[in-house]
Amino acid sequence: MHAPFPAPVTMKAGFSWFGIVRIGLVQASIGALVMLTTAVLNRLMIVEFQLAAAIPAGLVAWHYAVQLGRPFWGHGSDKGRSRVPWIVGGLVVLAAGALLATQATLMMASTFPAAFALAVFAYALIGVGVGAGGTSALALLASGVAPERRAAAAAVTWIMMVGGIVASAITVGELLKPYSPERLLEVAGGLAAVTIAVTVLATFRLERQAGQFRDGAEDAPVPDFRAALAEIWHEAAARRFTIFIFVSMIAFSMQDLILEPFAGLIFGLSPGESTKTVGQFHQGGILIGMIIAGIGGSAFSGKRAEGLRPWVVGGCLASGLGLGALGLAAVNGPPWPLGINLFVLGFGNGVFAVAAIGSMMGLAGAGEKTREGVRMGVWGASQAIAFGLGGLIGALGLDVARRALANDGAAFQVVFAVEAAAFVLAALLAVKATGGAAMRAAMIKQERGVFA
């Protein structure tokens, strides 16, 4: 009797590993386009055009502020029948925003007011694209993957996102040699075309493989946003974890907008060289750290929620160590082994990121009534706030320190020291946030069969 209806069997199986990798390609495309704005364009504004670091930081913070709409986009995905149009549409908007941001940056040397207005619009498009596409991709991942594979899926997609950043940073860095505005526009256009094509191919008929895995009742109506937010905030474990994520992500993002200017101002690297160096060593370290933490920290199996705690704490402390060493590099200059230092920092960042997202995925599917789309949207919005504030704090802190100390090396040293202290604080918060009630809640879910 079941022969004419094979589809339900496929739906129950959920995404295969190849299906998870296809969603990872979407994340890689998002990471590649965002890299263009946070790395290349950021460096051009600060070093080549001699603008205050607060200008690109403010634009990046603006694109994160726009992402406060993530819960609503996730809520819309929950109510709809298909998430792929949200994903593809988001990537198209993101690519358009990246191209407009490139054009606006090149205009800043001659017509700053008009260029800045265009940049504000472009970064708003970037925020909409990242929010709509990224939230829908993660919601599809959380709702369509079997529970025992959720942590693994989170690790795989984050690793692939960083892989996309690394690959695009190295490729763009090479293609920008020798640098010229015309070459930058050509490279940006090629990157946009490739990422859109990859996304369309990766999502073609993808939802047919998705399962229907929800912890709540299948026929329960999707709650409104206020009810979902109230439910999440009244969970003690989720509330403590939110505070940890907020602090740790601020520390994580403070370095994003100042690493390439640091390489240019202190070590004298050209735009292509700084993009390639930061991408190859820092982002490469993140990638390796994610792979090791994903395997060694049981993020792939998800069998012991408390097993991720030492990896979260260790990743925070290693990141703090790498930032402290960069503070020494700031006052020592070119003799310092910059590549090795960036790799250590990236490795710590990668270990922390996978362990944290693995824990987050466990909580994302633990709602009494809320569905994965709105919960992932809420988590994404909280991360967006932290990322926006972190990048802005790092850049503004650098501007203030450069003015007060009248020495670039000393200014970078102060900012890196503050970032290192923030990671140490995050490590202390992680001890309680990933233990106690949070772990007891996870173990209860494990007993009910939510985890493998």
Side-chain angles (χ1 to χ4, degrees):
M1 297 190 316
H2 62 279
F5 304 97
V9 176
T10 303
M11 293 296 283
K12 289 181 180 179
F15 283 122
S16 64
W17 289 114
F18 180 64
I20 293 172
V21 168
R22 289 171 66 182
I23 297 178
L25 287 173
V26 175
Q27 293 291 88
S29 298
I30 292 175
L33 286 170
V34 171
M35 180 283 304
L36 181 68
T37 59
T38 59
V40 180
L41 301 186
N42 171 70
R43 181 241 154 82
L44 287 174
M45 291 184 204
I46 296 176
V47 179
E48 271 65 34
F49 299 151
Q50 296 293 306
L51 299 176
I55 292 176
L59 291 170
V60 172
W62 166 237
H63 111 277
Y64 280 122
V66 172
Q67 291 182 53
L68 291 177
R70 274 178 177 259
F72 300 99
W73 295 319
H75 190 253
S77 293
D78 283 340
K79 289 186 173 181
R81 290 291 182 180
S82 179
R83 301 190 196 270
V84 167
W86 290 78
I87 296 172
V88 175
L91 261 292
V92 171
V93 173
L94 170 57
L99 291 177
L100 287 177
T102 302
Q103 181 62 53
T105 300
L106 295 177
M107 291 169 54
M108 287 185 177
S110 56
T111 56
F112 182 80
F116 184 74
L118 179 60
V120 170
F121 176 67
Y123 277 79
L125 291 181
I126 292 171
V128 171
V130 172
T135 300
S136 300
L138 291 177
L140 178 60
L141 187 72
S143 62
V145 174
E148 63 270 18
R149 288 184 174 179
R150 283 176 179 168
V156 168
T157 53
W158 269 62
I159 288 169
M160 292 189 67
M161 182 183 70
V162 175
I165 295 174
V166 172
S168 62
I170 295 174
T171 303
V172 169
E174 285 294 332
L175 293 176
L176 285 179
K177 296 179 182 178
Y179 167 77
S180 70
E182 295 76 19
R183 183 178 290 269
L184 176 59
L185 286 173
E186 292 175 358
V187 171
L191 180 63
V194 169
T195 52
I196 291 174
V198 168
T199 299
V200 171
L201 291 174
T203 56
F204 181 67
R205 295 183 177 178
L206 178 63
E207 282 184 287
R208 295 184 179 185
Q209 302 179 18
Q212 293 293 335
F213 302 102
R214 292 191 178 102
D215 299 335
E218 285 295 321
D219 58 352
V222 178
D224 60 38
F225 174 69
R226 289 188 178 182
L229 185 62
E231 178 185 324
I232 294 170
W233 191 249
H234 281 92
E235 296 172 8
R239 187 169 61 250
R240 282 197 293 269
F241 194 76
T242 299
I243 296 172
F244 157 70
I245 285 293
F246 185 77
V247 174
S248 61
M249 288 300 174
I250 283 181
F252 185 83
S253 61
M254 281 180 68
Q255 63 198 283
D256 283 352
L257 300 180
I258 64 174
L259 283 183
E260 285 218 36
F262 172 71
L265 292 172
I266 305 301
F267 286 82
L269 301 183
S270 68
E273 290 172 339
S274 66
T275 299
K276 182 178 179 180
T277 299
V278 174
Q280 183 174 351
F281 290 101
H282 179 244
Q283 300 296 340
I286 290 179
L287 181 61
I288 294 175
M290 283 182 165
I291 294 172
I292 292 178
I295 298 173
S298 299
F300 280 15
S301 66
K303 290 182 179 179
R304 294 193 308 121
E306 73 276 11
L308 293 174
R309 179 166 52 181
W311 293 88
V312 174
V313 175
C316 288
L317 293 178
S319 298
L321 178 64
L323 287 165
L326 276 185
L328 296 177
V331 295
N332 282 280
W336 191 270
L338 178 62
I340 296 176
N341 199 155
L342 289 174
F343 179 84
V344 171
L345 173 60
F347 182 83
N349 288 169
V351 170
F352 150 74
V354 156
I357 195 65
S359 300
M360 186 185 300
M361 282 295 290
L363 288 174
E368 294 272 340
K369 299 178 182 177
T370 53
R371 300 290 175 87
E372 290 83 356
V374 68
R375 288 180 71 89
M376 290 304 297
V378 170
W379 289 114
S382 66
Q383 288 185 62
I385 296 171
F387 266 83
L389 285 176
L392 190 59
I393 290 171
L396 286 175
L398 179 61
D399 283 341
V400 172
R402 288 177 73 185
R403 250 179 225 167
L405 301 176
N407 182 285
D408 289 343
F412 276 107
Q413 185 178 47
V414 169
V415 176
F416 287 141
V418 172
E419 293 181 48
F423 263 119
V424 172
L425 174 60
L428 296 175
L429 292 173
V431 174
K432 180 175 290 188
T434 57
M439 292 302 101
R440 287 197 297 273
M443 295 306 292
I444 291 173
K445 284 292 182 182
Q446 181 177 7
E447 292 173 2
R448 292 177 181 175
V450 174
F451 294 109

